[in-house]
């Protein structure tokens, strides 16, 4: 008798675990069921408004109490020009809202997504980001930031300036992409906004039309490991590069260098392991010691430099100048 009861109970539990009640969002979008009954939601070409912001859509109609573990949402190719509605409280770790024609983000949109580590807003129409866009509030109602956010991707928008009051709320991020935006990096607010992000490990600035980096920015971003400056009209080595003591990977494809010498070449970058210097249409000569500061270099990519006529045999050889400063 006991044995039968156990079998019946076990059966019921097993069905519930493998087949949770379906939520409306998984009817409109594609949900994949991952580990520990977590869900990854993928949606393309939906209007957005009705689907995303109603809490009911994320619950089971049959069993309101059923607690879904939504780990990621990718909502693309929709129409969300004014992103002003607040997402319901979801356990999302990753949110991808690329290709949605977003041109403004209102206050408190992400306030309930307190677990979010990755936010992708690529390929939208953002020009300005509201200073309070990433503001959240704690249990007492005090303003705090998205304190779990580690990765923010804003590439392929129309951003020219950043507001320091905006980055204040994403202060913990380690990865920031601003690639393919018409950035004004000479604007002091924008520099201040980026400088505040002192935990940054990866910064993507390719195709932002910048001519150099602001002085001392790598002194502030002292943990930076990966920097992409490709596709910018940079003709002189940015002065602050010598402060990139923790840089391990540097990308400078398609820039404006012509002749790099010991004086105009790379500074001492003691941890740099990988350098990409490809597709530099104007690059002609890599002179003696132009790369000697890269004392740990393991990978050097130099492809498709159509004007490169001379690489000095001592271009990368050890230079006393660089060993003297080595600690
Ligand atoms: C949700 O799912 C993720 C991925 O499987 C897992 O790491 C996390 O612990 C789950 N959260 C809860 C509350 O079950
Ligand atoms: C769901 O996936 C199918 C097959 O990949 C795709 O054709 C469909 O557009 C997806 N639906 C949504 C709403 O993204
Ligand atoms: C978005 O908001 C602006 C003003 O904040 C308004 O002028 C515009 O019409 C709105 N666009 C849409 C599509 O709702
Ligand atoms: C940031 O906020 C402070 C206080 O609200 C304000 O005085 C300042 O002008 C703001 N900064 C910018 C760049 O908007
Ligand atoms: C960056 O370099 C400084 C000194 O050069 C060091 O103290 C610090 O721990 C480094 N940070 C990381 C993340 O490696
Ligand atoms: C240039 O740099 C990028 C990193 O942004 C790298 O992935 C790419 O392979 C490099 N090379 C060329 C030829 O573009
Ligand atoms: C680069 O070096 C070549 C050979 O020394 C020289 O003719 C040319 O003027 C230099 N170009 C620049 C921009 O320094
Ligand atoms: C050190 O650098 C200076 C100028 O940058 C140069 O004149 C000198 O020859 C270099 N010394 C060595 C040993 O490379
Ligand atoms: C579902 C949920 O938790 N919604 C909350 C989102 O954040 C706002 C502002 O703090 C709350 O009012 C909602 O209750």
């Amino acid at each position: 008798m006991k044995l039968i009861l156990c079998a019946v109970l076990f059966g019921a539990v097993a069905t519930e675990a493998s087949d949770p009640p379906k939520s409306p969002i998984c009817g409109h979008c594609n949900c994949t069921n991952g580990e520990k009954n977590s869900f990854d939601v993928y949606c393309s070409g939906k209007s957005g408004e009705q689907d995303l912001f109603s809490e009911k859509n994320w619950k089971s109609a049959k069993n309101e109490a059923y607690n879904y573990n939504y780990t990621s949402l990718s909502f693309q190719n929709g129409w969300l020009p004014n992103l002003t509605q607040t997402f319901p409280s979801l356990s999302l770790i990753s949110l991808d809202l690329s290709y949605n024609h977003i041109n403004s983000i209102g206050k408190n949109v992400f306030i309930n997504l307190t677990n979010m580590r990755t936010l992708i807003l690529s390929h939208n129409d953002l020009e300005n980001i509201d200073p309070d866009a990433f503001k959240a509030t704690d249990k007492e109602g005090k303003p705090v930031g998205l304190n779990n956010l580690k990765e923010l991707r804003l590439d392929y928008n129309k951003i020219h300036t950043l507001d320091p009051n905006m980055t204040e709320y994403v202060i913990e991020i380690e990865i920031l992409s601003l690639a393919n935006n018409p950035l004004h990096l000479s604007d002091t607010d924008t520099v201040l906004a980026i400088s505040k992000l002192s935990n940054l490990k990866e910064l993507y600035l390719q195709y932002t039309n910048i001519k150099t980096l602001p002085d001392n920015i790598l002194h502030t971003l002292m943990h930076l490991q990966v920097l992409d400056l490709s596709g910018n009209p940079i003709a002189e080595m940015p002065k602050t590069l010598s402060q990139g003591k923790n840089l391990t990977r540097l990308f400078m494809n398609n820039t404006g260098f012509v002749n790099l010498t010991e004086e105009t070449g790379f500074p001492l970058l003691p941890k740099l392991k990988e350098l990409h210097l490809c597709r530099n249409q104007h690059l002609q000569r890599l002179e003696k010691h132009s790369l000697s500061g890269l004392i740990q270099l393991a990978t050097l990519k130099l492809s498709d430099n159509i004007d490169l006529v001379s690489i000095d045999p001592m271009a990368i050889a050890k230079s006393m100048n660089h060993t003297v400063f080595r600690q």
Side-chain angles (χ1 to χ4, degrees):
M1 190 60 193
K2 265 184 187 163
L3 202 71
I4 294 166
L5 196 63
C6 274
V8 168
L9 272 179
F10 183 77
V13 169
T15 350
E16 194 180 302
S18 63
D19 191 19
K22 202 169 187 180
S23 66
I25 196 84
C26 292
H28 301 163
C29 301
N30 289 329
C31 290
T32 48
N33 204 336
E35 266 173 52
K36 291 194 197 163
N37 240 342
S38 63
F39 285 92
D40 294 301
V41 185
Y42 176 79
C43 229
S44 179
K46 289 280 174 174
S47 72
E49 302 280 321
Q50 305 95 325
D51 291 319
L52 292 180
F53 304 104
S54 152
E55 204 178 347
K56 272 201 309 206
N57 271 333
W58 297 88
K59 298 256 182 208
S60 159
K62 289 204 195 99
N63 181 0
E64 282 270 330
Y66 186 85
N67 202 4
Y68 290 94
N69 180 4
Y70 295 106
T71 48
S72 75
L73 167 63
S74 172
F75 186 91
Q76 302 181 350
N77 302 301
W79 178 250
L80 296 169
N82 290 348
L83 190 58
T84 52
Q85 298 193 65
T86 303
F87 277 93
S89 190
L90 302 168
S91 52
L92 294 181
I93 291 167
S94 165
L95 174 60
D96 181 348
L97 292 175
S98 43
Y99 297 98
N100 285 308
H101 305 273
I102 299 171
N103 85 47
S104 66
I105 302 176
K107 292 179 185 172
N108 295 335
V109 171
F110 307 111
I111 195 168
N112 298 321
L113 303 179
T114 49
N115 291 334
M116 186 165 61
R117 292 176 64 87
T118 300
L119 176 59
I120 302 174
L121 292 164
S122 313
H123 294 276
N124 280 297
D125 294 330
L126 290 166
E127 270 180 62
N128 295 305
I129 300 178
D130 190 297
D132 289 343
F134 304 122
K135 191 163 145 185
T137 38
D138 67 8
K139 287 192 188 87
E140 282 107 52
K142 273 198 294 198
V144 292
L146 294 174
N147 290 341
N148 285 316
L149 198 71
K150 298 287 181 207
E151 179 174 354
L152 179 60
R153 298 211 175 251
L154 295 167
D155 48 311
Y156 292 94
N157 276 283
K158 297 173 183 162
I159 299 167
H160 39 81
T161 52
L162 288 177
D163 189 320
N165 289 346
M166 181 274 281
T167 50
E168 189 104 325
Y169 295 113
V170 291
I171 206 80
E172 301 290 335
I173 58 171
E174 294 174 1
I175 301 174
L176 174 64
S177 178
L178 291 166
N180 296 85
N181 280 288
L183 273 192
H184 295 168
L185 258 197
S186 48
D187 178 89
T188 48
D189 274 347
T190 307
V191 175
L192 187 58
I194 297 175
S195 302
K196 283 190 175 200
L197 302 170
S198 58
N199 293 318
L200 278 189
K201 289 189 177 146
E202 301 180 19
L203 178 59
Y204 298 94
L205 292 173
Q206 62 271 36
Y207 297 93
T208 47
N209 208 23
I210 56 174
K211 292 193 174 64
T212 189
L213 286 175
D215 282 348
N216 290 319
I217 194 147
L218 295 185
H219 178 66
T220 325
L221 306 180
M222 61 177 292
H223 299 300
L224 203 65
Q225 293 171 7
V226 181
L227 177 61
D228 198 332
L229 296 171
S230 298
N232 289 310
I234 296 176
E236 279 175 36
M237 205 59 68
K239 258 194 261 161
T240 185
L241 211 55
S242 64
Q243 297 166 322
K245 297 299 179 209
N246 289 322
L247 282 181
T248 58
R249 304 173 73 204
L250 177 60
F251 302 101
M252 296 188 92
N253 298 331
N254 193 8
T255 52
F257 295 134
V258 181
N259 297 329
L260 293 179
T261 64
E262 177 161 23
E263 287 76 28
T264 64
F266 286 87
L268 176 66
L269 295 172
K271 292 191 184 166
L272 200 76
K273 291 217 155 56
E274 186 173 345
L275 173 66
H276 288 222
L277 263 183
C278 305
R279 293 188 290 118
N280 287 286
Q281 293 175 41
H282 310 289
L283 186 62
Q284 291 175 20
R285 314 181 70 86
L286 292 174
E287 305 285 18
K288 185 179 175 187
H289 292 327
S290 52
L291 299 167
S292 297
L294 313 178
I295 54 180
Q296 294 282 351
L297 200 65
T299 303
L300 173 61
K301 304 239 173 181
L302 275 175
S303 67
D304 303 284
N305 292 306
I306 53 173
D307 262 359
L308 185 60
V309 289
S310 161
I311 302 178
D312 190 280
M314 301 287 276
I316 201 164
K318 260 192 191 153
S319 143
M320 286 312 288
N321 274 350
H322 290 125
T323 40
V324 167
F325 296 122
R326 198 173 164 183
Q327 283 126 23

